[in-house]
Amino acid sequence: MKKIPINECKVQFPALSRNEGLSRSAAAAFALQCDPTVEETAAIKTAVSEAVTNAIVHGYRDTNGIVELLMRLYSDNTIYIQIKDKGAGIADIKLAMEPMYTTAPADEERSGLGFTVMESFMDKVRVRSAEGKGTVVTMEKKLSGKKNDA
C-alpha cells in the first residue's frame, strides 16, 4: 500500500553553518504535530543536524549553495525528511557511510560519524549522490505520539 502524505513542508536556505539551527528547529516544529516524545524530537534534531552539516561542510566546502529540507508526515505517524544539496557529491557512498571516514582536510576536526549518527537515530537512512551534482539524504522515523487523520 502506497503511503500518502497528510502534511508537507519545504525549507530552503543558504549553506551557512548558522542555518544548521534553523534546520533543527524546523524539523522539530514540523514533528510536533505528532506529539513526539522528547527522545524522538532529540533524535530528529540530531539526525537533521548531521545531514545538514554534511551538506554545508562537505557538499559546499569552498562554494556557496542552497540546502533544501523537505519534510512529510504520513497518517501512520512516520516522518519523512529529505536533505538535498547540489554540491560536490560523494564518490563512494558505501565508503562515506563507514564510521570514522571523512573527506575533511587533516587540519579540521571531523569525526566521520555523521551517517552513523543518522542511522542510529532514524529508522531508515538512504543516500543518493553523484559527483559534481550533489547529494540527497532521505530519513524516516515512526513516531509514537498521537495519530493524525488525513
Side-chain angles (χ1 to χ4, degrees):
M1 184 167 96
K2 184 178 177 185
K3 288 184 182 182
I4 299 173
I6 59 170
N7 201 1
E8 181 175 295
C9 178
K10 185 190 298 186
V11 181
Q12 293 181 326
F13 47 88
L16 303 171
S17 59
R18 66 177 165 243
N19 286 331
E20 179 200 329
L22 168 68
S23 66
R24 290 170 57 95
S25 297
F30 188 78
L32 278 177
Q33 61 195 299
C34 293
D35 194 26
T37 65
V38 171
E39 293 81 11
E40 289 169 335
T41 303
I44 290 167
K45 288 170 69 173
T46 301
V48 167
S49 178
E50 292 294 334
V52 169
T53 297
N54 279 354
I56 294 167
V57 171
H58 300 292
Y60 296 116
R61 177 165 296 281
D62 296 316
T63 61
N64 295 323
I66 299 294
V67 176
E68 181 180 294
L69 171 63
L70 172 67
M71 300 166 287
R72 289 186 185 129
L73 178 65
Y74 295 95
S75 60
D76 70 349
N77 265 21
T78 299
I79 188 167
Y80 168 98
I81 299 171
Q82 181 184 82
I83 292 91
K84 181 178 183 179
D85 70 67
K86 293 183 179 176
I90 301 170
D92 185 337
I93 294 171
K94 186 175 179 179
L95 179 62
M97 293 183 78
E98 289 292 319
M100 306 307 288
Y101 177 81
T102 184
T103 59
D107 62 338
E108 282 187 20
E109 291 186 31
R110 298 282 172 198
S111 68
L113 292 173
F115 287 121
T116 303
V117 169
M118 288 178 235
E119 289 177 320
S120 70
F121 284 107
M122 302 298 279
D123 298 332
K124 292 181 186 175
V125 176
R126 292 180 301 280
V127 181
R128 292 189 337 254
S129 190
E131 283 188 279
K133 296 187 178 191
T135 302
V136 178
V137 175
T138 303
M139 303 180 286
E140 291 183 27
K141 184 166 189 69
K142 176 98 176 217
L143 303 175
S144 63
K146 69 181 181 185
K147 297 279 189 218
N148 286 280
D149 295 325

